[in-house]
Amino acid sequence: MTDPVDVLIVGAGASGAAVAWSLAETRMRIVCLEQGDWMNPAEYPSAGRDWEARAYSDMSISPNRRNRETDYPVNDANSPISVANFNAVGGSTILYAGHFPRFHPSDFRVKTLDGVADDWPIDYGTLEPFYAENDRMMGVSGLAGDPAYPPKESVMPPVPLGKTGQAIANGFNKLGWHWWPSDTAIATETYDGRDKCINLGACSSGCAQGAKASTDITYWPHAVRAGVEVRTRCRVREITTNGDGMASGVVYFDRDGIELFQPAEVVIVACNGVGTPRLLLNSTSGRFPNGIANTSGLVGKNLMFHPYASIQGIFDEPLDGYRGPGVCIWSQEFYETDLSRDFVRGYTYEINRGRGPVATALTGMFSGRIPFGEGHHEAYRQLFSRIAGMVGICEDLPEEHNTVTLDPELTDGHGIPAPKIDYTLSANSRRMLDHAVARATEVLTAAGAKDVITEAPIGVGGWHLMGTARMGTDPERSVVNEWGRSHDVKNLFIVDGSIFVTSAGVNPTRTIQALALYIADSMKKRLANLFD
Amino acid sequence: MADTIATDNPFTTEEQRTLLALVGALIPPSAEFGTPGADDPVIAADILATARPYHATVASALTQIESAAAKRYDTPYPDLDAATRASIASDLSRSRFAGVGTLVTITAQCYYRDDRVMRSLGMAPRSPYPDGFDIPQGDWSLLEPVRQRGRIYKEV
Ligand SMILES: Cc1cc2nc3c(=O)[nH]c(=O)nc-3n(C[C@H](O)[C@H](O)[C@H](O)COP(=O)(O)OP(=O)(O)OC[C@H]3O[C@@H](n4cnc5c(N)ncnc54)[C@H](O)[C@@H]3O)c2cc1C
Ligand code: SF4
């Protein structure tokens, strides 16, 4: 047994880092257990000539393909969308692209506005101060004044439009549709000890420059300096409970594979929308035979991914190509529900700047636009630096049959049951994807594209993991209350994307972190009677 | 990359011969653009080294390719002309046989990081980091019509 701690956080990703930093000022003894390592940015792919190849091997977005010792396998054979993540200090922010939109006020009220899913127990106003605090900690770049949002400040100027942004913005303007420079978690100036972006173009394999705000270089250095201990290569098997039905700590395997018990007064789970239900379901006891915090039966249910459509145009003129961050501009022309369409809710377009030489070859060869053999080089040069387009991020509505359960056979390197995903694309999502493909084709054509390549949904695009331990005020319809505490176990909190009630049509991390800060703040305000 | 090639190469001489014939057919040399083929010795060595961890998958793809050549032409694959070799590879790739996809991917990865190839594309033969790249700011006045249209988010 190890020395007891006041607060035990499981997972050092986007949300674990934020909650640790915020709670550090309480001077409680805080330990974070993380199954992965601290990363060394000097070893990221963009520092080597094989930078594109490594996105298919040790820095793949798929844990199954990467298969590092620090990864756990995910059985996602029964899903058209496979899970993407990263397991390390920084979590999936090591690989994320750094698109950093907020939710909108309407996103918290979908039941009231559109009669679907559920309203959140909190609203945009509740999170607004925590969005702002998180923006400062992560260092958000953008341009104030986006008409698709209530007023918000930006910490740094936006990433450049570049040739790609300019071409596609022209397309949106021709149609009279909304676009705006994206809010990004990318430093465009030196910020908080981080260097500014130098357009390496490899953000989704880790940023060697340190410009992209992964939490190992934003929150964690501050939290560690404030006294939080991070223990790496520690994989938690289960959360234990005592006779009073309170969490007593966790059982974990350390870097030598030794099983240890870590007692704690408070346990905070921050393992993401797949890792968190997996851990809760693995934590069974006489009192909680179906997994801890699961009397509602909703742990692992309502998994939401955000089905993505990819719509890429081929242009005559060279654009940014392999240069520059993937993030660029966005459009929320089709964000809010419009009853004249055949779907409810909506989506965001995020414009992709271009792709590297290898990705260009593979796109061309696998789509039949670059022949094998004779004609390869001419065809390649028609595509090189000339492919650019966008993705449509569709709001995924919660459905109980989309689940994370425990695989009966598959386990990780410590023999802990692995997660199994069962997910189907809803008819609403399918129609939204079709709409996103059709409208984006119009934009790209207006922007001068002569051909369009589409994929919907993107099969490898399960990078947003949400909804599997939803928040709410009714213990029968939710897993945690309106400030992240388990209805069943009063010293157990969840702070990651699992607690999302709905997914909105935007990337989730800025909201995940704002929620984590809000939950930490709620805890700090109630320290004297936290378990009442 | 190429210099990581080791003597414990798991590919048999036969497999290497088929593999070279295949990658040379996928990406042939070009006099017009001054680029080598993917069967160039430096690039081929890189492909072999990169393919090593995927030996089982790649070897099964090579077996498929040889059996397609035997079935259709009764000739070993390396002895076929380049156009025929390319068309066999193309057919197998279209049938989504995973091993061929892996081989095509590895070939593109190794080919498009070769110094000569990068130069022919106007790229400096270097990693992105630490020098990075320049991109223009672009014309922000394009935002004017978006500003003029005004607020589009829904009040709640
Ligand atoms: C390729 C890619 C691109 C993305 N792009 C964007 C983007 O542009 N914008 C955006 O908003 N989001 C993006 N995302 C999603 C974003 O990364 C996640 O939303 C965010 O990181 C989730 O934060 P989290 O704290 O919930 O989980 P994570 O950041 O995933 O952290 C969870 C941590 O918990 C650890 N853990 C899990 N189980 C255990 C256990 N049993 N014991 C110990 N440790 C454990 C894991 O190792 C991991 O480090 C992207 C993700 C990927 C993979
Ligand atoms: S483009 Fe910018 S943020 Fe992305 S990897 Fe390069 S330096 Fe980092």
Side-chain angles (χ1 to χ4, degrees):
Chain A
M1 180 161 119
T2 47
D3 289 342
V5 298
D6 298 315
V7 180
L8 191 272
I9 301 168
V10 190
S15 58
V19 80
W21 170 78
S22 178
L23 289 178
E25 67 169 335
T26 61
R27 305 261 167 227
M28 293 189 285
R29 170 119 202 260
I30 304 173
V31 166
C32 176
L33 298 179
E34 166 56 51
Q35 67 191 340
D37 294 309
W38 284 97
M39 299 303 287
N40 177 0
E43 291 170 2
Y44 283 150
S46 62
R49 291 291 293 279
D50 54 353
W51 64 278
E52 284 190 275
R54 285 184 60 199
Y56 295 86
S57 56
D58 67 320
M59 293 301 277
S60 166
I61 63 173
S62 158
N64 296 340
R65 181 182 270 263
R66 225 168 36 229
N67 200 17
R68 289 171 172 242
E69 270 183 22
T70 45
D71 288 319
Y72 56 93
V74 179
N75 177 357
D76 47 24
N78 190 31
S79 169
I81 299 173
S82 56
V83 168
N85 69 8
F86 201 73
N87 300 306
V89 178
S92 305
T93 66
I94 298 294
L95 298 189
Y96 80 158
H99 283 114
F100 225 52
R102 293 183 182 187
F103 274 29
H104 305 71
S106 63
D107 292 322
F108 298 88
R109 290 285 171 272
V110 301
K111 176 89 172 173
T112 304
L113 291 173
D114 299 317
V116 290
D118 281 302
D119 288 348
W120 287 57
I122 56 170
D123 59 15
Y124 185 85
T126 315
L127 285 190
E128 208 166 15
F130 303 101
Y131 273 131
E133 184 172 41
N134 188 55
D135 289 359
R136 285 191 298 278
M137 289 303 293
M138 295 290 277
V140 175
S141 299
L143 184 68
D146 186 345
Y149 276 98
K152 58 182 161 53
E153 295 303 312
S154 167
V155 181
M156 283 171 273
V159 295
L161 255 185
K163 289 184 186 167
T164 301
Q166 189 155 316
I168 298 181
N170 267 315
F172 279 110
N173 278 356
K174 278 191 191 152
L175 297 168
W177 290 350
H178 168 265
W179 66 275
W180 201 257
S182 299
D183 286 354
T184 67
I186 289 179
T188 52
E189 296 170 342
T190 51
Y191 187 78
D192 191 24
R194 287 158 47 205
D195 257 327
K196 67 174 188 176
C197 174
I198 51 170
N199 304 314
L200 302 176
C203 319
S204 291
S205 303
C207 176
Q209 171 79 349
K212 190 186 76 175
S214 49
T215 58
D216 56 328
I217 58 167
T218 57
Y219 277 107
W220 277 119
H222 291 286
V224 169
R225 242 176 281 141
V228 178
E229 181 192 349
V230 183
R231 274 184 225 154
T232 54
R233 291 255 178 174
C234 292
R235 179 173 280 149
V236 177
R237 189 186 69 200
E238 64 176 294
I239 301 162
T240 52
T241 42
N242 61 22
D244 301 328
M246 299 284 274
S248 53
V250 302
V251 176
Y252 72 99
F253 294 97
D254 75 2
R255 61 174 56 243
D256 301 316
I258 295 170
E259 189 182 307
L260 294 166
F261 174 60
Q262 174 61 62
E265 295 296 326
V266 171
V267 175
I268 301 179
V269 187
C271 296
N272 80 32
V274 168
T276 288
R278 176 200 185 204
L279 176 57
L280 299 177
L281 293 171
N282 269 320
S283 305
T284 52
S285 58
R287 192 171 193 131
F288 299 115
N290 300 319
I292 196 168
N294 195 19
T295 49
S296 66
L298 289 174
V299 169
K301 299 210 171 124
N302 296 304
L303 170 68
M304 297 174 283
F305 273 135
H306 285 145
Y308 263 64
S310 165
I311 315 96
Q312 305 298 323
I314 300 172
F315 291 80
D316 282 329
E317 295 302 314
L319 301 173
D320 295 329
Y322 55 91
R323 306 170 195 85
V327 295
C328 184
I329 61 175
W330 64 34
S331 168
Q332 294 189 328
E333 181 65 27
F334 303 105
Y335 196 81
E336 307 281 3
T337 296
D338 176 342
L339 293 176
S340 70
R341 296 181 206 131
D342 60 355
F343 57 88
V344 284
R345 306 302 301 154
Y347 58 87
T348 300
Y349 283 129
E350 281 172 347
I351 283 53
N352 310 126
R353 215 171 272 277
R355 53 193 66 200
V358 173
T360 303
L362 295 176
T363 304
M365 289 165 94
F366 288 127
S367 70
R369 285 168 176 83
I370 300 179
F372 289 7
E374 190 63 31
H376 175 96
H377 299 282
E378 291 83 353
Y380 181 89
R381 281 159 177 75
Q382 297 295 312
L383 299 188
F384 181 61
S385 284
R386 288 167 172 78
I387 304 177
M390 62 193 85
V391 289
I393 306 167
C394 298
E395 173 154 1
D396 202 358
L397 290 168
E399 296 179 298
E400 283 192 21
H401 60 85
N402 290 330
T403 56
V404 178
T405 53
L406 297 177
D407 193 276
E409 279 151 34
L410 191 67
T411 60
D412 65 22
H414 291 99
I416 307 171
K420 175 174 187 295
I421 310 295
D422 290 277
Y423 177 92
T424 41
L425 203 60
S426 71
N428 193 61
S429 293
R430 185 67 263 172
R431 289 193 289 266
M432 211 185 305
L433 286 168
D434 292 344
H435 189 274
V437 168
R439 299 291 85 76
T441 303
E442 290 173 34
V443 178
L444 293 174
T445 306
K450 58 185 182 190
D451 188 7
V452 170
I453 308 173
T454 66
E455 182 189 6
I458 300 180
V460 298
W463 29 60
H464 302 160
L465 311 170
M466 301 160 290
T468 47
R470 63 200 331 232
M471 63 164 29
T473 48
D474 178 357
E476 289 186 6
R477 297 292 312 139
S478 55
V479 176
V480 296
N481 71 7
E482 66 279 16
W483 46 283
R485 191 180 73 178
S486 154
H487 289 298
D488 298 346
V489 182
K490 299 213 178 321
N491 62 345
L492 176 66
F493 293 79
I494 305 174
V495 293
D496 57 61
S498 311
I499 65 177
F500 278 27
V501 180
T502 55
S503 69
V506 290
N507 319 62
T509 309
R510 201 173 181 183
T511 303
I512 290 175
Q513 291 183 304
L515 269 170
L517 294 178
Y518 153 72
I519 292 169
D521 187 67
S522 305
M523 292 170 76
K524 286 187 283 193
K525 286 188 177 133
R526 295 174 169 88
L527 273 186
N529 50 359
L530 193 58
F531 309 140
D532 290 353
Chain B
M1 290 184 287
D3 55 359
T4 63
I5 191 160
T7 45
D8 62 343
N9 190 329
F11 293 98
T12 64
T13 314
E14 291 298 293
E15 285 171 344
Q16 292 189 39
R17 211 165 92 81
T18 308
L19 192 141
L20 272 190
L22 171 74
V23 301
L26 287 181
I27 310 184
S30 163
E32 184 188 354
F33 298 108
T35 48
D39 57 355
D40 165 89
V42 175
I43 299 171
D46 191 10
I47 292 172
L48 272 172
T50 306
R52 204 160 37 196
Y54 311 99
H55 174 252
T57 314
V58 169
S60 84
L62 296 173
T63 307
Q64 285 274 331
I65 282 166
E66 280 298 355
S67 62
K71 201 161 139 201
R72 286 192 218 166
Y73 303 102
D74 199 19
T75 307
Y77 182 78
D79 296 343
L80 295 168
D81 64 67
T84 312
R85 280 183 278 137
S87 103
I88 290 179
S90 182
D91 291 349
L92 284 175
S93 165
R94 261 199 298 277
S95 71
R96 302 239 170 239
F97 180 64
V100 177
T102 304
L103 255 173
V104 172
T105 303
I106 292 171
T107 305
Q109 285 170 357
C110 297
Y111 187 79
Y112 283 102
R113 66 188 178 205
D114 179 82
D115 285 5
R116 295 157 293 176
V117 176
M118 287 178 81
R119 279 202 197 91
S120 82
L121 293 171
M123 295 177 78
R126 63 170 173 86
S127 59
Y129 184 80
D131 292 342
F133 303 106
D134 289 326
I135 45 175
Q137 267 304 317
D139 178 7
W140 288 112
S141 72
L142 284 171
L143 272 175
E144 220 28 64
V146 188
R147 286 186 210 276
Q148 271 167 22
R149 187 177 154 204
R151 203 194 82 191
I152 63 164
Y153 73 89
K154 197 179 264 179
E155 285 284 13
V156 177

